[in-house]
Amino acid sequence: MRNRVEVMHGVNLDQLGRRDPAHYGGLTFEQLELQISDAAADLGLQTRFFQSNHEGAFVEHLHRLEGLADALVLNPGAWTHYSYAIRDALELTGLPAIEVHLSNVDAREPWRRHSVIRELCVGRVAGKGPDGYREALELLRARLEK
Ligand code: DQA
């Protein structure tokens, strides 16, 4: 089975432990990544992680995924809402991707409701905190098993 999932976090996600706990909970970024890798191991998926606060680095990482990943979990942070550069790079990968947000972006400021990557993704999970990543991994596993 194809089982390599690339988990990519964008801008400000590395600061998780310092961000508003009302939206993002109390976990640090390191704890979040551990939780995701445990969930992935349970599901028989291999994960690699990438985080950057630099849009170009995020784009170039997407460029380099060919042959290295079978699927993607993406939380681009604020870039979700406006980065057409990331959208185009995601399209280039041709990989099935799930968009994840820790917070309930649809119930926050209006600008957070718009996602430029949504139509390229096979699914979206928002507002479920760290558990949302497990749900995304489950969705991808079901897809990769087909
Ligand atoms: C986020 C939601 C975005 O609107 C915000 O800019 C983030 C995090 C989330 O995980 O809820 O940085 O993607």
Side-chain angles (χ1 to χ4, degrees):
M1 182 183 112
R2 293 174 305 132
N3 72 342
R4 298 165 303 172
V5 179
E6 195 79 11
V7 180
M8 293 182 63
H9 285 107
V11 62
N12 293 317
L13 269 307
D14 60 331
Q15 300 299 310
L16 212 49
R18 301 172 57 199
R19 298 185 73 179
D20 184 352
H23 290 303
Y24 301 111
L27 242 51
T28 65
F29 184 61
E30 290 70 26
Q31 289 166 334
L32 175 68
E33 287 201 333
L34 266 178
Q35 196 164 313
I36 299 169
S37 74
D38 283 352
D42 270 3
L43 295 166
L45 298 171
Q46 268 183 48
T47 39
R48 289 202 321 173
F49 292 89
F50 178 81
Q51 190 278 330
S52 182
N53 294 317
H54 302 275
E55 188 179 6
F58 199 90
V59 163
E60 287 183 350
H61 193 79
L62 287 166
H63 290 172
R64 288 193 295 262
L65 286 181
E66 197 170 13
L68 297 175
D70 302 308
L72 284 168
V73 170
L74 285 186
N75 181 352
W79 290 329
T80 306
H81 312 300
Y82 65 87
S83 175
Y84 293 106
I86 286 172
R87 185 202 183 283
D88 284 349
L90 173 60
E91 189 168 31
L92 264 178
T93 69
L95 294 171
I98 308 268
E99 175 185 347
V100 176
H101 301 286
L102 288 157
S103 67
N104 184 1
V105 282
D106 295 320
R108 297 180 63 190
E109 302 92 323
W111 58 268
R112 290 189 205 269
R113 290 185 202 140
H114 182 63
S115 163
V116 298
I117 62 169
R118 189 172 191 157
E119 63 171 13
L120 295 177
C121 292
V122 298
R124 180 181 207 241
V125 185
K128 299 190 174 171
D131 292 345
Y133 288 86
R134 189 185 173 94
E135 188 173 324
L137 291 169
E138 284 168 357
L139 291 167
L140 287 175
R141 192 178 74 159
R143 204 181 165 92
L144 291 169
E145 268 172 359
K146 277 187 205 151

